[in-house]
């Protein structure tokens, strides 16, 4: 199946086009889509010009050179109607079918412009493209002789595969920020797609789909790899793209084989994409659907195109984790998965819940209780029993002895407990699923440097955590995985079929024992795809290296090979590294990589060793500000023009250490923009980032930070390195272990920036890193009084709205509130506020007075009710449902029942048993009976039976009759009983009439 991936992913030119391949950039596709909607004549003109070029028509109008530097790669314009221009270059692109490179066989279309929009950026483009080397430049200039003398029509040239691959940094140009942004857009952010029939049909159908774009040779090797693989790369290098394209190729190859074959029993490949983030899983699935749809467009007729519509359903502003799996079409149990569910995109948490629901559900009451905890549930017992990092820090950490927690970072401690003590491979050797004290304290400081020298303190915290967790009967993610693995190792098997291909994205966010569970899920030892970046293991509970994963999986495969007889030997997995950063420019990428070099130098086993990543284009170096102390810092000079109101834009962010630092900074400068902690920023990106007081708020002192001076180059601040009093790392490695964690967090802070990074720090602890970067010329130095570009810029309402939605999807609700407020979107502000109130309420569990928790959840519930009442469509139902869940946590069953009813969650309406009136029940036949199946109607009646009860709650209610034959007995025994007053009988009679109405509608 994998072998046919290449043919299923790539297309040739559109029908009627010539031999010259057309690669068109996403910016040009966007412009064509606009023309198709608003100006059909221009659309046809551009189409005609593209067809001319594909046939090799090099008329004078088609090849007017734009760049003035004739020594670089030529950039041309092709004239079209009046002021319309098509800008392109002749490029070298590898053929997808043969091992040759058909240089000159392709046009790379950069954009469609008016004459006035053409500026001087093309000289810089030519200059940067020449960084691929002289061989590349000459091939781009070469033309075959015309087919006929004087015809100016030629065929593509064919060359052997070139030796160039990535761009070599050319000599720098004096370009402004705007020109650098344009270059980055053309060379890195812009993707190039073959102008195929599928693309053309999508444009004709006005269909908003995504298309498979041209990849680098290294990326193609990953997609075409026929065995399992490990793909490592820093943030922004395209790991998820390669994973998704491989999934797409396998799925599409199966579709084509099924359509062409007379054998209709070709099994669908079972593929699962797994990640930690629900938002990422949903985004990848949406992108996958659009890509698959675009590949299907090639065979559509014009009539079929007219009927084609997008399949993606936008749920609006709702937390994806609140949406029941059933609404997403995903069953609660793994065994209930069917062929049509695949390919499947879900979180590891979802997958583990589904497996646990199958494996742990037994006839034993305790087993049933545990299984219920692991399943998606609205039971407060189950919801409160799960220990996330937020629960750990709010509900557990304050109860630990202060002598243990003083000076410790709960974030790092939680990661050590989950990732090392409980979640490492070695933990599988212990009956309780955790390292004993001697084993943990004996771990190597080189491979596990974070708490080297503090192991006994951390283990004491773990023991206190475990004791309190047992008392509360809580569980964490590691407990669930251990419970599943123990059951499987005890002889149980997966209920349901195993998958053929498994893709694990951001693998570093998982535990090693999670990797074992995932491996056991896949029946194909050559169908595993692991991708990640261990430089970003700052997520709570993560302590991971790919070398550990590889060794672990190798041992698993060896163990399985000793028990399973296979028809052929399993090909060992391949490892790949992606080193081109498409997200940030060279100025930021180089600075970030220097931090990785420091980690690798001092803690070689603390991080995976990768080739140095690089940006495609250069950019401004980060600015490190000095002398901005308490008495000299003038925020107006730095953040905005004097006398103006300081306001950051939607794509700008201030990063600080923790919540305490955030509040302190806000007190100093006011509500000037987005202020986030480094933990909150994980997974987010901004154009501009201000890293504020990172070193000032570090728990590591200056004497330990000075160890980085050992990695400086040449003269440092006018001194030789021998004069800097560099501490000897080798004499006491344990003393400097905290620097390793600090550098990983610093790396994440730096890589949040796409365009510009500012660092302000008034602490002496910042000096060593400043000297280190200066010795490598990787930063600019800014000081008070210097001419510094202002960080604060304005944004449009649309930009604020877009940022608000992004923050909301990442569950950063306070930041979403800020953005929606700037966009003047009051309804969205109220929605984000409701979710924020729920987060506040959740933080009270186990850490506040018993009376405070219900009040907090009730407040959140009322906020959701307000949102539901002013929201149309299906969003409204989700807000009512979330409100009901909050009312359950607030112990207000009557309001929970009302909210569940409004959410159309009739099975959960059993909480109506404490309601005092029958209004909702009387409404049943009027509104619902006509669109409810008999089974659903029966369930609805069953749910509403608790309504038939005395006002004295001590009296049990009787069930409603299930058939007409039961009515007389029901009436005699339940409707007329001693002790019922007239009001009871009146409401009972109304209830009976409503029941008769339901029967009437059903049968007549």
């Amino acid at each position: 199946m994998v072998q046919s991936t290449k043919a299923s992913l790539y297309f040739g030119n559109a029908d009627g086009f010539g031999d010259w391949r057309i690669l068109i950039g996403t910016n040009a596709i966007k412009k064509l889509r606009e023309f198709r909607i608003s100006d059909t004549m221009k659309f046809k003109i551009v189409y005609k010009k593209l067809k001319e070029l594909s046939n090799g028509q090099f008329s004078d109008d088609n090849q007017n050179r734009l760049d003035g530097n004739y020594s670089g790669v030529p950039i041309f314009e092709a004239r079209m109607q009046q002021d319309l221009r098509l800008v392109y270059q002749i490029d070298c692109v590898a053929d997808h079918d043969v091992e040759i490179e058909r240089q000159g066989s392709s046009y790379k279309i950069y954009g469609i412009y008016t004459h006035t929009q053409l500026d001087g950026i093309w000289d810089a483009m030519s200059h940067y493209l020449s960084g691929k080397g002289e061989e590349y430049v000459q091939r781009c200039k070469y033309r075959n002789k015309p087919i006929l003398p004087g015809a100016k029509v030629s065929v593509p040239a064919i060359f052997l595969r070139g030796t160039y691959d990535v761009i070599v940094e050319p000599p720098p140009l004096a370009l402004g920020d705007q020109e650098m942004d344009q270059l980055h857009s053309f060379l890195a952010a812009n993707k190039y797609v073959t102008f195929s029939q599928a693309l053309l049909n999508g444009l004709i159908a006005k269909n908003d789909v995504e298309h498979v774009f041209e990849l680098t040779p290294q990326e193609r090797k990953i997609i075409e790899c026929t065995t399992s693989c490990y793909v490592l790369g820093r943030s922004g290098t395209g790991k998820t793209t390669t994973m998704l394209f491989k999934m797409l190729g396998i799925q599409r190859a199966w579709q084509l084989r099924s359509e062409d074959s007379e054998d209709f029993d070709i099994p669908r490949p079972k593929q699962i994409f797994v990640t930690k983030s629900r938002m990422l899983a949903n985004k990848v699935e949406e992108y996958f659907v659009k890509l698959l749809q675009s590949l299907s467009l090639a065979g559509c007729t014009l009539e079929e195109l007219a009927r084609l519509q997008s399949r993606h359903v936008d749920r609006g502003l709702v937390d994806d984790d609140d949406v029941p799996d059933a609404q997403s079409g995903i069953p609660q149990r793994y065994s209930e998965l069917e062929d049509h569910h695949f390919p499947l995109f879900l979180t590891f948490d979802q997958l583990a819940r589904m497996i646990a629901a199958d494996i742990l559900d037994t006839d034993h009451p305790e087993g049933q209780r545990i299984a219920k905890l692991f399943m998606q549930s609205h039971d407060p017992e189950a919801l409160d029993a799960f220990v996330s990092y937020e629960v750990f820090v709010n509900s557990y950490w304050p109860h630990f002895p202060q002598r243990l927690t003083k000076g410790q970072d709960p974030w790092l401690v939680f990661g050590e407990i989950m990732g090392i003590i409980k979640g490492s491979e070695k933990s599988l050797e212990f009956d309780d699923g955790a390292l004993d004290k001697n084993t943990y304290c004996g771990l190597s400081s080189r491979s596990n440097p974070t708490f080297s020298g503090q192991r006994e303190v951390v283990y004491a915290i773990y023991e206190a955590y475990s004791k309190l967790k047992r008392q509360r009967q809580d569980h964490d993610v590691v407990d669930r995985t251990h419970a599943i693995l123990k059951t499987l190792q005890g002889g149980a098997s997966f209920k349901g079929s195993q998958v053929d291909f498994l893709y694990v994205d951001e693998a570093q966010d998982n535990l090693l024992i999670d990797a074992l569970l995932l491996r056991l899920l896949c029946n194909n030892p050559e169908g595993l795809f692991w991708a990640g970046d261990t430089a970003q293991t700052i997520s709570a509970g993560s302590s991971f290296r790919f070398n550990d994963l590889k060794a672990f999986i190798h041992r698993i495969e060896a163990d399985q090979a000793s028990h399973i007889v296979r028809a052929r030997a399993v090909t060992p997995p391949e490892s790949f590294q992606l080193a081109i950063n498409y997200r940030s420019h060279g100025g930021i990428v180089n600075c970030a990589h220097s931090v990785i070099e420091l980690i690798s130098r001092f803690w070689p086993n603390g991080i995976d060793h990768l080739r140095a990543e690089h940006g495609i284009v250069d950019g401004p170096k980060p600015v490190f500000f000095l002398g901005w102390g308490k008495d000299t810092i003038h925020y107006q000079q730095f953040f905005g023009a004097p006398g103006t109101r300081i306001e950051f834009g939607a794509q700008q962010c201030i990063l600080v250490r923790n919540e305490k630092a955030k509040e302190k900074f806000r007190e100093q400068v006011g509500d000037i923009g987005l202020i986030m902690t480094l933990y909150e920023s994980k997974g987010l990106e901004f154009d501009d980032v201000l890293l504020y007081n990172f070193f000032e708020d570090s728990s590591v002192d200056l004497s330990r930070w000075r160890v980085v001076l050992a990695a400086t180059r040449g003269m440092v601040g006018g001194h030789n390195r021998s004069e800097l009093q560099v501490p000897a790392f080798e004499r006491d490695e344990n003393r400097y272990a905290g620097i390793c964690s600090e550098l990983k967090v610093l790396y994440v802070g730096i890589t949040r920036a796409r365009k510009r990074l500012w660092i302000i720090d008034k602490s002496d602890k910042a000096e060593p890193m400043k000297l280190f970067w200066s010795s490598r010329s990787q930063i600019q130095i800014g000081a008070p009084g210097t001419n510094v570009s202002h960080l604060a810029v304005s944004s449009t309402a649309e930009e604020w709205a877009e940022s608000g939605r992004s923050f909301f999807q990442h569950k950063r609700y306070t930041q979403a509130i800020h953005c929606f407020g700037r966009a003047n979107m009051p309804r969205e502000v109220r929605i984000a506020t409701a979710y924020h109130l729920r987060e506040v309420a959740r933080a009270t569990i186990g850490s506040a007075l018993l009376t405070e928790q219900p009040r907090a959840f009730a407040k959140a519930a009322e906020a959701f009710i307000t949102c539901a009442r002013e929201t149309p469509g299906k969003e409204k139902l989700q807000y009512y449902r979330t409100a009901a869940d909050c009312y359950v946590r607030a112990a207000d069953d009557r309001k929970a029942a009302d909210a569940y009813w409004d959410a159309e969650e009739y099975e959960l309406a059993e909480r109506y048993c404490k309601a005092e009136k029958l209004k909702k029940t009387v409404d049943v036949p009027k509104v619902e009976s006509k669109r409810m199946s008999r089974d659903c109607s029966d369930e609805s009646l069953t749910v509403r039976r608790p309504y038939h009860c005395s006002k004295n709650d001590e009296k049990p209610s009787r069930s409603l009759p299930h058939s007409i034959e039961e009515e007389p007995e029901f009436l005699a025994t339940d409707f007329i009983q001693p002790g019922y007053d007239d009001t009871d009988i009146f409401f009972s009679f109304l209830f009976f009439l409503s029941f008769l109405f339901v029967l009437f509608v059903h049968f007549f």
Side-chain angles (χ1 to χ4, degrees):
M1 185 71 71
V2 178
Q3 283 84 345
S4 57
T5 295
K6 184 191 300 186
S8 63
L9 276 182
Y10 299 109
F11 295 111
N13 281 343
D15 297 344
F17 275 48
D19 293 335
W20 288 79
R21 189 172 167 206
I22 304 292
L23 289 173
I24 184 167
T26 46
N27 288 339
I29 294 174
K30 182 179 178 181
K31 180 63 70 174
L32 271 176
R33 187 172 285 121
E34 292 175 6
F35 287 164
R36 176 69 184 96
I37 295 171
S38 60
D39 196 332
T40 306
M41 182 59 68
K42 285 186 178 179
F43 177 83
K44 291 180 178 178
I45 289 171
V46 177
Y47 170 77
K48 181 180 178 182
K49 182 59 66 174
L50 290 172
K51 195 170 183 179
E52 285 181 13
L53 294 176
S54 74
N55 285 290
Q57 296 182 19
F58 287 97
S59 64
D60 292 340
D61 283 347
N62 282 351
Q63 54 172 340
N64 181 44
R65 191 157 178 176
L66 290 175
D67 61 295
N69 178 16
Y70 283 83
S71 62
V73 174
I75 307 292
F76 300 101
E77 68 167 345
R79 295 180 183 178
M80 296 183 288
Q81 180 197 45
Q82 298 174 349
D83 201 28
L84 209 57
R85 302 289 188 270
L86 194 72
V87 178
Y88 69 91
Q89 74 154 110
I90 302 298
D91 199 12
C92 307
V93 179
D95 193 287
H96 294 139
D97 299 318
V98 293
E99 287 300 313
I100 60 173
E101 183 160 286
R102 302 207 302 179
Q103 185 277 332
S105 65
S106 69
Y107 293 83
K108 181 174 283 187
I109 311 297
Y110 287 117
I112 303 167
Y113 305 95
T114 63
H115 182 67
T116 55
Q117 290 174 324
L118 298 175
D119 50 28
I121 192 65
W122 309 114
D123 285 339
M125 278 282 290
S126 174
H127 176 78
Y128 265 86
L129 288 171
S130 66
K132 285 191 173 184
E134 184 61 25
E135 180 186 26
Y136 176 78
V137 174
Q138 293 305 316
R139 290 186 175 189
C140 289
K141 291 180 177 181
Y142 181 83
R143 297 286 184 282
N144 275 328
K145 293 181 179 180
I147 299 174
L148 298 174
K152 295 186 178 180
V153 176
S154 61
V155 297
I158 296 177
F159 297 92
L160 295 177
R161 184 177 294 277
T163 57
Y164 48 84
D165 183 3
V166 300
I167 291 180
V168 179
E169 185 176 340
L173 290 176
L175 297 177
D177 290 351
Q178 184 176 355
E179 287 82 5
M180 293 303 301
D181 288 346
Q182 281 183 284
L183 270 183
H184 189 267
S185 174
F186 284 126
L187 299 176
N190 213 13
K191 305 302 180 185
Y192 296 89
V193 179
T194 300
F195 195 84
S196 63
Q197 192 63 38
L199 174 58
L200 178 59
N201 286 347
L203 292 170
I204 293 172
K206 303 177 184 178
N207 207 303
D208 183 16
V209 296
E210 299 288 345
H211 296 273
V212 175
F213 52 81
E214 194 67 17
L215 300 171
T216 66
Q218 178 75 347
E219 291 167 337
R220 286 198 296 272
K221 287 180 182 178
I222 296 172
I223 292 172
E224 296 163 13
C225 176
T226 58
T227 186
S228 294
C229 64
Y230 300 94
V231 178
L232 285 79
R234 304 304 180 208
S235 178
T237 54
K239 301 182 298 296
T240 305
T241 297
T242 58
M243 183 175 286
L244 187 59
F245 279 22
K246 183 165 186 174
M247 286 187 74
L248 182 71
I250 291 174
Q251 179 69 15
R252 181 60 178 160
W254 169 78
Q255 287 182 344
L256 293 175
R257 286 181 60 191
S258 300
E259 293 169 1
D260 297 338
S261 175
E262 296 180 358
D263 182 6
F264 296 102
D265 294 328
I266 299 176
R268 175 195 290 262
K270 291 183 174 64
Q271 301 190 90
I272 293 186
F273 174 94
V274 182
T275 186
K276 273 285 189 179
S277 165
R278 180 73 173 264
M279 185 209 69
L280 177 59
N282 289 344
K283 288 289 186 184
V284 170
E285 180 174 21
E286 178 186 349
Y287 187 43
F288 181 88
V289 168
K290 288 187 173 183
L291 285 169
L292 192 60
Q293 187 179 9
S294 73
L295 292 178
S296 302
L297 286 169
C300 291
T301 65
L302 291 176
E303 291 75 15
E304 290 171 332
L305 291 171
R307 294 193 300 268
L308 205 55
Q309 295 180 351
S310 175
R311 292 183 291 175
H312 177 67
V313 177
D314 185 6
R315 292 193 178 95
L317 283 180
V318 299
D319 184 345
D320 289 329
D321 289 331
D322 290 342
V323 179
D325 290 339
Q327 288 187 18
S328 303
I330 301 175
Q332 280 211 357
R333 296 177 182 273
Y334 180 82
S335 60
E336 296 172 357
L337 286 173
E338 300 177 9
D339 281 356
H340 67 83
H341 288 115
F342 296 96
L344 193 60
F345 300 82
L346 72 178
T347 65
F348 177 78
D349 184 60
Q350 286 177 288
L351 181 61
R353 279 203 316 258
M354 294 166 67
I355 297 171
D358 271 328
I359 293 178
L360 302 179
D361 193 5
T362 66
D363 294 333
H364 193 278
E366 180 62 14
Q368 292 177 348
R369 186 190 74 83
I370 295 174
K372 185 179 70 172
L373 292 179
F374 290 150
M375 292 176 66
Q376 191 177 42
S377 172
H378 294 274
D379 189 334
E381 178 192 358
L383 293 170
D384 291 348
F386 177 68
V387 183
S388 63
Y389 169 69
E390 287 72 22
V391 172
F392 177 82
V393 73
N394 292 316
S395 180
Y396 278 77
W397 192 259
H399 296 282
F400 299 151
Q402 191 174 3
R403 61 181 173 79
L404 297 177
T405 60
K406 185 177 181 181
Q408 300 292 349
D409 188 333
W411 180 6
L412 296 176
V413 172
F414 185 74
E416 190 79 354
I417 292 173
M418 299 298 151
I420 303 297
I421 297 178
K422 297 184 66 178
S424 61
E425 178 185 0
K426 206 166 187 64
S427 69
L428 296 169
E429 301 173 8
F430 295 84
D431 292 336
D432 62 350
L435 307 184
D436 61 25
K437 185 175 181 179
N438 289 335
T439 303
Y440 174 66
C441 292
L443 293 175
S444 166
S445 60
R446 280 294 183 104
S447 58
N448 299 276
T450 306
F451 287 101
S452 181
Q454 296 180 300
R455 296 261 165 81
E456 292 195 3
V457 173
V458 173
Y459 201 85
I461 296 176
Y462 158 70
E463 290 177 321
Y465 165 70
S466 297
K467 181 179 179 180
L468 186 56
K469 183 162 63 72
R470 284 194 301 270
Q471 292 173 353
R472 296 179 176 182
Q473 291 190 310
D474 289 351
H475 72 280
D476 52 44
V477 291
V478 193
D479 296 328
R480 177 179 59 194
T481 302
H482 274 300
I484 295 172
L485 291 174
K486 282 186 177 181
T487 305
L488 291 174
Q489 291 168 350
S493 59
F494 280 113
K495 297 180 181 179
S497 58
Q498 292 175 293
V499 300
D500 303 309
F501 299 95
L502 179 70
Y503 307 81
V504 185
D505 199 11
E506 302 297 352
Q508 77 278 354
D509 289 338
N510 290 306
L511 308 169
L512 271 182
I513 61 169
D514 295 338
L516 173 58
L517 176 58
L518 290 168
R519 175 60 192 92
L520 295 176
L521 184 66
C522 184
N523 63 18
N524 178 12
E526 297 178 343
L528 300 161
F529 192 132
W530 308 86
D533 173 15
T534 52
Q536 296 193 77
T537 52
I538 72 163
S539 60
S542 174
S543 185
F544 184 98
R545 290 185 312 150
F546 260 84
N547 284 338
D548 295 335
L549 174 65
K550 291 178 184 179
F552 188 29
I553 297 298
H554 175 75
R555 285 188 283 272
I556 295 172
E557 300 296 352
D559 181 66
Q560 289 198 350
S562 65
H563 296 88
I564 300 175
V565 178
R566 300 188 186 276
R568 63 177 180 83
V570 175
T571 306
E574 292 193 44
S575 295
F576 300 93
Q577 181 191 338
L578 296 172
I580 303 175
N581 193 303
Y582 298 102
R583 182 178 300 158
S584 302
H585 57 68
I588 290 173
V589 170
N590 295 338
C591 181
H593 183 71
S594 69
V595 177
I596 299 299
E597 287 186 80
L598 282 174
I599 299 173
S600 300
R601 176 189 175 102
F602 295 108
W603 301 276
N605 297 319
I607 194 171
D608 294 299
H609 292 273
L610 303 180
R611 296 197 315 270
E613 64 174 332
H614 62 273
I616 290 181
V617 299
D618 201 5
K621 299 174 184 177
V623 182
F624 201 121
F625 289 91
L626 299 178
W628 298 81
K630 295 179 181 178
D631 300 327
T632 60
I633 188 164
H634 302 290
Y635 294 103
Q636 272 76 11
Q637 178 186 355
F638 180 63
F639 294 138
T644 61
R645 181 178 182 273
I646 301 173
E647 181 181 11
F648 276 47
Q651 280 299 319
Q652 299 181 297
C653 183
I654 301 169
L655 295 182
V656 295
R657 274 280 185 168
N658 47 43
E659 290 293 332
K660 182 179 179 181
K662 184 198 293 186
E663 294 305 316
K664 182 179 179 181
F665 186 78
R666 200 181 296 278
E667 289 175 4
Q668 290 178 324
V669 300
D671 188 18
I672 65 172
L674 296 166
I675 306 174
M676 304 182 71
T677 67
L678 284 157
Y679 177 72
E680 290 173 328
S681 74
K682 180 74 162 63
L684 297 171
E685 303 165 24
F686 307 91
D687 285 347
D688 307 327
V689 168
L690 167 62
L691 189 58
Y692 182 75
N693 271 0
F694 175 86
F695 303 98
E696 167 76 11
D697 296 323
S698 171
S699 59
V700 178
D701 58 36
L702 173 61
S703 64
R704 285 183 285 173
W705 270 111
R706 292 185 64 84
V707 75
V708 304
L709 294 174
T712 54
R713 296 174 179 172
M715 296 291 290
V716 181
H719 302 281
N720 290 316
R721 195 173 68 182
S722 58
E723 302 172 348
L724 295 177
Q725 298 179 345
V726 181
F729 173 79
E730 293 77 9
R731 291 182 181 177
D732 191 357
E733 294 184 13
N734 291 344
R735 169 176 164 75
Y736 304 100
I739 296 293
C740 181
S741 299
E742 291 289 287
L743 291 173
K744 285 190 176 184
V745 178
L746 178 60
Y747 172 83
V748 170
I750 293 172
T751 54
R752 296 313 91 198
R754 284 187 292 249
K755 296 180 179 179
R756 283 167 288 275
L757 174 67
W758 285 264
I759 303 172
I760 292 184
D761 207 294
K762 58 180 181 287
S763 170
D764 291 341
K765 289 186 286 186
E767 187 69 9
M769 282 302 299
K770 189 265 294 183
L771 292 174
F772 166 74
W773 279 323
S774 296
S775 74
R776 295 164 169 250
S777 299
Q778 289 176 336
I779 58 172
Q780 306 175 59
I781 300 298
T786 58
N787 184 19
V788 178
S789 60
H790 296 141
L791 174 58
V793 298
S794 60
S795 294
T796 64
E798 291 76 15
E799 291 169 334
W800 279 116
E802 182 180 355
S803 290
R805 284 186 285 270
S806 174
F807 279 119
F808 185 92
Q809 291 169 346
H810 283 86
K811 303 181 190 295
R812 303 296 185 249
Y813 299 120
T814 55
Q815 287 79 21
I817 292 168
H818 176 88
C819 293
F820 288 137
R822 290 285 195 269
N824 192 27
M825 301 171 72
R827 186 182 75 88
E828 286 73 11
V829 168
R830 287 189 286 273
I831 293 171
T833 300
Y835 280 101
H836 172 65
L837 289 173
R838 186 179 65 168
E839 294 296 304
V840 172
R842 286 173 171 174
T844 65
I845 298 173
S847 62
L849 297 175
L850 292 178
T851 57
E852 184 178 336
Q853 179 180 330
R855 284 199 299 266
F857 275 107
K859 185 177 181 181
E862 295 299 330
F864 279 111
I865 293 292
T866 300
C867 295
R869 288 171 178 166
E870 62 180 0
T871 302
K874 293 187 177 181
E875 272 182 90
K876 171 176 65 177
L877 300 181
Q878 186 58 54
Y879 297 149
Y880 275 127
R881 181 189 179 92
T882 307
D885 294 343
C886 289
Y887 278 130
V888 170
R889 308 295 290 278
D892 193 334
D893 287 350
R894 184 182 64 79
K895 288 186 177 180
D898 288 339
Y900 277 130
W901 173 270
D902 290 329
E904 299 180 8
E905 293 286 351
Y906 304 115
E907 293 182 13
L908 295 171
E910 61 184 343
R911 302 188 190 279
Y912 278 137
C913 62
K914 293 185 179 180
E916 299 178 357
K917 297 183 179 180
L918 302 172
K919 178 178 182 296
K920 299 287 186 183
T921 305
V922 175
D923 288 341
V924 174
K926 296 179 181 178
V927 180
E928 305 299 334
S929 61
K930 292 184 180 181
R931 61 184 178 90
M932 294 170 66
S933 65
R934 176 162 188 170
D935 289 342
C936 189
S937 297
D938 290 343
E939 290 174 4
S940 180
L941 287 173
T942 302
V943 167
R944 286 158 184 75
R945 285 178 192 125
Y947 262 123
H948 177 61
C949 60
S950 168
K951 286 184 292 185
N952 181 357
D953 290 337
E954 295 178 1
K955 293 186 178 181
S957 62
R958 276 202 59 178
S959 298
L960 284 172
H962 290 275
S963 65
I964 294 178
E965 289 77 8
E966 295 178 12
E967 289 178 38
E969 181 183 357
F970 175 81
L971 179 61
T973 57
D974 277 51
F975 270 45
I976 305 173
Q977 290 190 16
Y980 272 44
D981 60 20
D982 293 340
T983 303
D984 290 323
I985 295 173
F986 171 74
F987 279 107
S988 298
F989 184 71
L990 282 179
F991 186 73
F992 179 63
L993 289 178
S994 70
F995 171 71
L996 290 178
F997 190 91
V998 172
L999 293 176
F1000 175 81
V1001 171
H1002 178 73
F1003 289 105
F1004 300 98

